[in-house]
Each structure stands twice: as structure tokens, then as C-alpha cells.
Amino acid sequence: MSDHLSPTDVRRVSAGNDEPGSADSRRNFLKGVIAAGAVGAGSSLGLAASDARARSIPPGDSESARLANASIAELQALMDSGRLTSHRLVQIFLSRINRIDVRGGLNNVLELNPDALAIARDLDMERRTSGPRGPLHGIPFLVKDNYDSADRMGTRAGSLALVGDPPPQDSTAVAKLREAGAVLLGKANLSEWANFRGFDSSSGWCGVAGQGNNPFILDRNPCGSSSGSAASVAAGLCTVALGTETDGSVVCPSSANGVVGIKPTVGLASRAGIVPLADSQDTAGVQGRTVADAAAVLGALTGVDARDPKTEPSEGNVFSDYSPFVDPDGLAGARIGVVRQFDSSATTETLEVFDRAVQVMRDAGAEVIDPVEIPSFDDFFADPAETIVLVFEFKRDLNRYLATRSGVPVANMADVIQFNLDHADEELQFFGQEWFELAEAEIFSEAEYLAALERGPMLAADLGIDAALVENDLDALVAPTGSPAWPTDLITGDCFQFGSSSFAAVAGYPLVTVPGGFVFDLPVGLTFMGTAWSEPTLIRLASGFEAAADVRRLPEFLPTFEDETERPGRGRGRPRPVPARMGPESAARLRQFMTSARVPRPVFL
């Protein structure tokens, strides 16, 4: 058994057979890593996959299950008292990953760090000899598979095209969490290439590991692209996780999986060493079970980084510790505006959850202005500025990143497109690569890009979020994060109703989403949004709501809402036809298509 998946194995990991590189091989690999350190880590944490259909995979009430779902503060108190070690905690998570993710079919942990137990053991020794480094000492975390880690794991963005040698250097975010004493447990599943590959994608699917599932109802979608990070936190497979967001990819999966997500101001956390989508909007993000846990991780990520010029404006605007802003009475005296423009497509049940959340804020002492309108709302969504910026920057930024990698099959975007065509049975079996084709064709001029780069933030920030805040003298805006999770459908793709992330995405502004309630058995998040560098305010408000509402619950891993095993329209289906690679002559047609009403607006990026 090798220490990590070989390139040959990972290339065939989604082939659906029993060959060495199949999904069964990936499960056996993960079991092997788990078995190396999880002996005695508890045996009642879940049911095997064969039993899951009859009931569910229960979170359990054993000591191991309680520790797996404990807060950072609780874990630190136990470790400081000597009643728990980081090594033991890693063992517990490895055992749960085996029972819940591998055998139970959750499928949100893509690869495990074979050095995690040794790292935890060393940190335990350090705690005994010189004390903890800080609040993250010994805390296990997962990162989305687009974060570089210079160890025995790969960084693939979920794509078989990046299977090969590990990157030469840690991403800055991973390096900072290691420095803070956190234990990198492994890589989480995700929507391949941050969900910017094809129009009809299924969030949470990637060529390396297949489809990840929602721990509340397994046949429901976990949303993306940071699907595996959020679902793993919700399922108690790690304490906290890192995701990334370009537009919705931290907050949507956090909402769909019932956890807290912090998407910070662009520039607060370095993006160096993260597989990029678009420099203007990309950001690292944090997912945790509580606002306090997410805030503790956020502080460790701050600081100017020479590898990422976007961090330069953060000096003097960020904190190394956001925990002091967590306040159970944080809503008292706040002035909050309720934005209802996003939820025109929401179901009655979702609106009822939102209305109850608004009442909770009132009861907790907030002055609520309902409704408040974002002045540029219609103009913003009628303008293709965001799409132009993302398509223009994607090729440029991805090619720059790929130039830092060696020992992988691709060196640029054109190579990735051709790789997918050459490996269509694995990579293009369910949806295509239209976004890649559009970016490679360079259908927008630099002048069009620069105009969009100015116009989009003006509509989103100056005439959008900032205008609404100033005109109504508000601390923050609130809106539903998105719809409840939909049934996963690999044939027709995501069934997306609405989301509230795009204004903050284009403006580069922060968002904090917190569980707001449940529609049947599915969580729905509440998003607090503000201006640049307003994370302290948003954390205070979100933690106040969290304490007042007290709606968070552990997932029950139900197999299906209807308790049925077959659903029309689900399954692998017939492989889609693979188109030939686009040529330069297609540019005029692509431009016409991109300005038509048929082009989808990017979501969950």
C-alpha cells in the first residue's frame, strides 16, 4: 500500500470498476491510511453502507462522536487538562471517515494525509514541553483540493489532469495554519475546477473522486464548489475546514450543509498557492460548526503576503484574532436591513424560515428595517460584467498557476482541454467544459475586460451594498443564503433556485452565513453582508443570531427524503457525446452566444 494515491490510481478513480485505480481502490486506500492509526478510536460511530439504506448513519452519542463534534474551545480545554491528545483526536476523525465517508457513502474526503498522526504526536509533545502555540494547536482540519500542500498529498482541483507530483510549496493559508499548530488531516472533495468547467455541472462532482453527498440527506446535493469542506465539518469528519469562493462557493455549501461559512474581504487572506479561477474575486474562506470556530481560524489567515499583492490593502484593516468579536448578545442595538430582492424564486417554506430568522433578530434587540432595497439590483444582474471578468481572467490566472507545477500532465489551459477530450470517459461523462472553451478562445478584448472590471464593482459596491448601507444607516444587510439542497442529478445538473452571494463577490466584500433554520430535514442559511473589512461587525451579528436562534443540529445521514432507493432521472445515464475541440474560427459565434440570454450566470464558484 502506497502512502498516497499514485497517478495511475487517481486517473482511474471514477471508472466505476474493480481495477486498482477504481473508486473501490480509493476506498481501500483510505481504509489503509485509517487502519494505520485508528485502532481503538471507537466502533459505534456509524453504520456500514449496506445498513445505511435501512436507517441512516447516526451521529451517535459515544464519547468519540461528542469529541468529533466539539468546539475548538472545548477541545483545547480537554487537551490542556491532559484528558485528550491531538493524536487521539486524529484517530477519532480517521475512524469516522472510515465509517461515515468511505463505508457510509458520504464521499467528501478525497485524500488523507499519511503524516497526520505523526504531526499530531509531535504537537502533543510540544504542548507538554512548551505549551500550546495558540487556539488552533492540535486541531485537525481539512482543506479543499485546490490548496497546495508540499507534502505527500496531491493538489488536483478535483481534476485528473493535475494528478502527479505534489506542488513544491505550501499555499500560504496551509502554511499559516501549520504554523498555528493545526493538523492538516487531508484534502476535501469539491466541484472540479471550482465549478468553472461546464454549464450543466453537478456541484460536488469531480473526476478524481466522483460525487460528494449531503450528510443531512445523502441523495441531496452538498452545493459547491467547497462542498467537501462544508459537508465534512457538518458530518464531524474534522473540526474546521478551508474552502474557497469566487461567487458563492463558501456560503452556498455552508448553508446547504448546516454550518457556518466566512467568506472574507478579498485580500484579507492570501490566495497564493490556491488553484485560481479569477484574481479579482477569488478568496480563501473558512467553514466551521460555530461562528467562534470559524472566527478562530480566520484570524490565523490574515497578514500581508508578498506572494499575493491583493493582500497589501489588508494592512491595518484586519486582526490576528477575531474571537473577541464573537458575542452572544451581538444583535442588541444593531441596525440591520432585510433584503428580499434575492428570494423571488424561493419556496414558501424557505421564506417562512427567513421570516422566523428576522423575528429572532428583532427579539434579540436588533432594529430591523424590512425591506431594504439594493438600488442597483436590476442593473447589476442585467450586466454581463462579472461573466466577462471571470472568463477573461480564468485563462491568464490558471496558466500562471500551472507554470508553478511540474510532474503533472498539463502545462496550460489548452492542455487541460485536450486532456479532458482524451480522457472523456472519466472527465466528460456527465457534463462538458464550456467555460474552459470560452476562456481559451479569448472572446473578450482587454478593453471590454477593463470596462467590466470597473463597471461590475461600481454596481455591486458603490451603487449596491454601500449605497444600501449608507442610505439606511445600517450595520449590515441580511438575506437568505440560498435554497435548500436539491436532489443530485448527474444528467441534467444542478437545480438552483437563488443565492445572495453575487454582490459581495463582485465587490470583493465579506459574507458570513450561519444556520437559519430547516425546511423539512434540510438546513437553510442566513447571510450577513457588509462593506470591505467589516468582518468584526458581521461576526458579532452572526454570533448573536446563532446564540438567539439556536437552530443548529447534527445531520442524520438519511438515505433519501422519500425513503426510496430509486428516483426517475437519477443514475449514471448514457455518456454524453464528446465535442471536438473548438478552433479559433469559433470566436465570433462564442461572442454572440455570451451576450445572448442563453448563457448561464456562473454560480457556486
Side-chain angles (χ1 to χ4, degrees), residues 238-255:
C238 59
T239 303
V240 288
L242 296 185
T244 63
E245 176 158 329
T246 307
D247 188 343
S249 276
V250 166
V251 295
C252 181
S254 297
S255 173

Side-chain angles (χ1 to χ4, degrees), residues 47-405:
L47 300 176
S50 59
D51 299 323
R53 285 173 54 187
R55 170 61 171 82
S56 64
I57 306 169
D61 58 358
S62 68
E63 178 190 8
S64 295
R66 289 194 295 273
L67 291 172
N69 289 286
S71 69
I72 290 176
E74 291 168 337
L75 293 173
Q76 289 297 347
L78 290 170
M79 288 190 281
D80 285 343
S81 70
R83 289 179 289 167
L84 177 68
T85 64
S86 178
H87 187 271
R88 170 64 173 164
L89 189 57
V90 170
Q91 285 183 317
I92 288 171
F93 284 127
L94 292 176
S95 180
R96 286 179 68 85
I97 290 168
N98 180 30
R99 292 181 174 273
I100 294 174
D101 197 75
V102 179
R103 295 169 59 195
L106 190 61
N107 200 40
N108 279 302
V109 179
L110 191 151
E111 184 174 14
L112 291 169
N113 184 358
D115 300 317
L117 283 163
I119 293 169
R121 188 182 296 111
D122 290 344
L123 287 165
D124 288 332
M125 178 64 71
E126 182 180 326
R127 182 187 293 270
R128 290 192 294 270
T129 57
S130 58
R133 301 182 192 181
L136 299 183
H137 191 107
I139 299 298
F141 71 103
L142 288 168
V143 296
K144 188 176 180 177
D145 186 42
N146 58 356
Y147 280 80
D148 282 352
S149 60
D151 47 29
R152 294 193 284 170
M153 294 185 291
T155 300
R156 295 141 297 224
S159 173
L160 301 175
L162 283 183
V163 171
D165 294 345
Q169 184 178 5
D170 274 348
S171 60
T172 299
V174 166
K176 281 179 171 288
L177 290 191
R178 291 194 206 265
E179 184 181 354
V183 181
L184 178 54
L185 191 61
K187 299 293 181 76
N189 204 355
L190 74 164
S191 307
E192 186 175 307
W193 295 112
N195 220 13
F196 206 58
R197 198 197 81 184
F199 290 169
D200 300 318
S201 63
S202 173
S203 290
W205 184 94
C206 72
V208 170
Q211 178 67 51
N213 300 306
N214 190 303
F216 283 87
I217 302 179
L218 294 176
D219 68 354
R220 293 277 165 159
N221 197 274
C223 198
S225 62
S226 305
S227 51
S229 299
S232 295
V233 170
L237 307 183
C238 59
T239 303
V240 288
L242 296 185
T244 63
E245 176 158 329
T246 307
D247 188 343
S249 276
V250 166
V251 295
C252 181
S254 297
S255 173
N257 293 278
V259 299
V260 173
I262 300 180
K263 177 260 180 185
T265 304
V266 173
L268 178 146
S270 173
R271 295 87 45 85
I274 298 175
V275 182
L277 197 166
D279 181 74
S280 293
Q281 295 181 203
D282 288 351
T283 181
V286 184
Q287 290 156 317
R289 282 183 290 275
T290 66
V291 176
D293 282 0
V297 177
L298 183 67
L301 300 179
T302 62
V304 175
D305 179 16
R307 298 173 63 195
D308 182 2
K310 270 287 201 301
T311 62
E312 292 177 6
S314 73
E315 189 168 9
N317 288 311
V318 299
F319 297 83
S320 60
D321 184 5
Y322 284 90
S323 298
F325 302 108
V326 176
D327 183 357
D329 298 317
L331 288 170
R335 186 173 168 88
I336 299 173
V338 176
V339 181
R340 296 187 177 273
Q341 292 160 294
F342 294 106
D343 57 24
S344 60
S345 300
T347 64
T348 300
E349 292 82 3
T350 300
L351 293 177
E352 289 174 352
V353 168
F354 185 45
D355 288 340
R356 287 195 294 271
V358 170
Q359 188 59 49
V360 166
M361 289 187 282
R362 288 195 179 98
D363 294 343
E367 183 179 358
V368 176
I369 294 82
D370 183 6
V372 165
E373 291 196 349
I374 296 177
S376 62
F377 191 89
D378 292 337
D379 290 339
F380 174 84
F381 283 107
D383 195 304
E386 181 182 21
T387 302
I388 293 171
V389 169
L390 298 186
V391 171
F392 187 94
E393 292 186 353
F394 187 33
K395 177 181 178 179
R396 178 199 69 189
D397 296 342
L398 182 60
N399 284 350
R400 287 175 181 170
Y401 170 82
L402 292 176
T404 70
R405 297 291 297 274

